Amino acid sequence: MGAPRHQIGWRAQPLALFVVVCAVLTGCASGSPAPRASDQQAGGGQERSGPTKTLNVAQSAPIRAYGPWDFASTAGGVAALAEIHTTGLVSYDRNGKREGRVAARIPSIDDGTVTMLTDGRMRTVWALRPDVRWHDGKPLTADDLAFSFRMTIDPAMVSPIAPIIVQADTVEALDPLTVAITYKTPVFAGLELTNRAFWLFPKHVLGEAFEADKEAFLALPFFTTEYVNLGPFRLVDFGLGEQQVFEAFDAYFLGRPKTQRIIIHTIADANAMVAGMKAGSLDVLSEKVLSPEQAVLLRDEWAVSGEGRLLSRQDNWAYISPQFDLQWARPVELSRDPRVRAALLHAIDRDAIGEFVQPGFADTSGDTFMRSNDPRAAFVGQP
């Protein structure tokens, strides 16, 4: 079993551009890479000084509309870029630790904001940041979350990436900045309400239209050319979902991004993406757009030239348990004998397999492909 990696690549002054990428997501980083050709083009031919003004990013799948329905799959690098424009209650820091986004803090049993009710339900109380605004300038309120829940559970709107929030019984606005989410039963992932798990929508824009025809509702320009949300960048040109242009949102609650503009290009051909990176027309490739072979070749080339850098991270866990499938577990007695399973474990050169599947990642284990410095590494695979 293993946890495959996914890579994000960026070119030119990798350290500086890494800081710029952080600024894209958090609005609080700094850095001053040299102006690029795309900066001059974005400024009408006039060279700009200071931080990078335009960041060209590539994904391999187009966008049909903004909403959880079209961001369900992580293929094509689309979902990884969603927080450019869309923000949820929570997100994750660069170390993978959950933290509040539009939520002022994560609910906890310790402070009484997570409670188990006598009827078996679980109640979570969320405090919202007071300075969060939609891209049209209107403030986010608890009513928006209650409305978003109504949209999420509507049969015409249900998304395959909303299994957590659809287990809620009620989403209630206690006051303008406090919302209570009560689940039908205890839900272990009830605090994992990221932008994709619980997509937030502005009630003041969509509330009236939602009560009308649902087919017409989903055809509203809001979901394409007139989209507004809470992220650090606001949409200025939908580009038919093939070339989306976003500009920094001045009122973003974590601070105005250091980058002025992000252009997300849809490029189906991975080889064309790599060529764009080498030519300088692209700055960042999203994850899951290159094959492992392409990513490794690009990594090794950049290690020599210094023109870019590959960032890898753990992906979803994949595993097989053949001993539980009677088609393969024969005889059953042997398949369940721990001595047989121990022998198989020792007979497989897992490190060699790991090097073949993920070449050049010496800091991972052949058992799990997990980084040796990951805090979970010591426990994975243990009883």
Side-chain angles (χ1 to χ4, degrees):
M1 65 180 177
R5 294 180 176 280
H6 283 301
Q7 298 85 19
I8 298 176
W10 64 88
R11 72 173 302 281
Q13 300 186 3
L15 180 59
L17 277 178
F18 177 70
V19 174
V20 170
V21 171
C22 289
V24 167
L25 298 180
T26 67
C28 59
S30 62
S32 300
R36 300 176 57 259
S38 58
D39 305 334
Q40 299 174 27
Q41 295 168 2
Q46 297 179 356
E47 183 172 330
R48 296 170 182 253
S49 61
T52 300
K53 297 300 182 181
T54 298
L55 200 64
N56 288 281
V57 183
Q59 61 188 26
S60 60
I63 296 295
R64 295 176 299 175
Y66 298 106
W69 325 281
D70 289 283
F71 285 76
S73 173
T74 58
V78 173
L81 303 177
E83 280 192 290
I84 288 174
H85 48 76
T86 300
T87 301
L89 276 169
V90 303
S91 187
Y92 299 92
D93 64 18
R94 66 183 62 188
N95 297 315
K97 181 180 179 181
R98 183 180 59 214
E99 62 181 9
R101 270 298 184 265
V102 302
R105 54 189 174 274
I106 305 293
S108 168
I109 292 177
D110 295 336
D111 63 11
T113 51
V114 176
T115 55
M116 301 301 170
L117 306 181
T118 56
D119 60 4
R121 296 184 298 164
M122 182 177 81
R123 188 173 189 257
T124 61
V125 178
W126 297 80
L128 305 180
R129 294 175 185 262
D131 53 352
V132 180
R133 293 187 175 275
W134 298 98
H135 291 154
D136 62 3
K138 300 293 185 181
L140 170 75
T141 70
D143 284 337
D144 290 315
L145 274 71
F147 170 71
S148 299
F149 175 67
R150 289 177 54 214
M151 280 189 58
T152 301
I153 63 174
D154 187 282
M157 307 290 161
V158 171
S159 161
I161 60 171
I164 300 172
I165 194 62
V166 296
Q167 296 181 59
D169 195 12
T170 61
V171 175
E172 177 187 4
L174 303 182
D175 61 47
L177 291 177
T178 310
V179 62
I181 300 178
T182 303
Y183 293 92
K184 301 171 185 177
T185 61
V187 177
F188 81 94
L191 303 181
E192 306 291 335
L193 297 181
T194 62
N195 60 318
R196 294 174 63 233
F198 186 20
W199 200 284
L200 304 183
F201 293 100
K203 181 181 179 181
H204 67 278
V205 177
L206 298 173
E208 185 175 340
F210 180 69
E211 304 301 333
D213 179 62
K214 292 301 186 295
E215 185 173 344
F217 176 75
L218 288 174
L220 290 174
F222 169 88
F223 297 103
T224 52
T225 57
E226 298 179 10
Y227 182 68
V228 298
N229 204 271
L230 306 162
F233 289 82
R234 62 181 183 85
L235 180 71
V236 295
D237 186 352
F238 180 58
L240 299 178
E242 300 281 348
Q243 183 166 301
Q244 309 156 74
V245 180
F246 300 89
E247 289 190 349
F249 181 42
D250 292 338
Y252 182 54
F253 58 93
L254 292 181
R256 188 184 189 280
K258 305 299 183 182
T259 299
Q260 174 62 31
R261 181 181 293 107
I262 292 181
I263 303 176
I264 300 180
H265 306 265
T266 297
I267 303 174
D269 187 346
N271 291 321
M273 287 191 197
V274 174
M277 291 287 283
K278 294 181 178 181
S281 59
L282 294 175
D283 300 297
V284 179
L285 302 185
S286 187
E287 65 180 33
K288 300 191 177 183
V289 298
L290 299 181
S291 68
E293 293 79 11
Q294 289 172 313
V296 168
L297 288 174
L298 196 58
R299 178 202 63 188
D300 294 343
E301 180 177 329
W302 281 344
V304 175
S305 69
E307 293 181 352
R309 187 175 178 182
L310 191 77
L311 173 67
S312 65
R313 70 171 180 86
Q314 296 288 165
D315 190 27
N316 299 331
W317 286 98
Y319 62 90
I320 55 175
S321 301
Q323 68 270 22
F324 298 122
D325 187 335
L326 294 181
Q327 179 181 355
W328 308 109
R330 294 178 179 176
V332 174
E333 292 75 15
L334 288 179
S335 68
R336 296 179 180 175
D337 188 326
R339 295 172 298 176
V340 175
R341 296 172 64 182
L344 291 173
L345 184 67
H346 289 292
I348 299 173
D349 190 343
R350 302 181 303 284
D351 289 330
I353 294 175
E355 178 59 26
F356 177 78
V357 175
Q358 303 282 356
F361 292 97
D363 59 342
T364 59
S365 163
D367 292 325
T368 65
F369 306 140
M370 176 175 279
R371 287 186 181 276
S372 57
N373 62 354
D374 190 297
R376 301 165 295 180
F379 306 101
V380 173
Q382 300 302 315

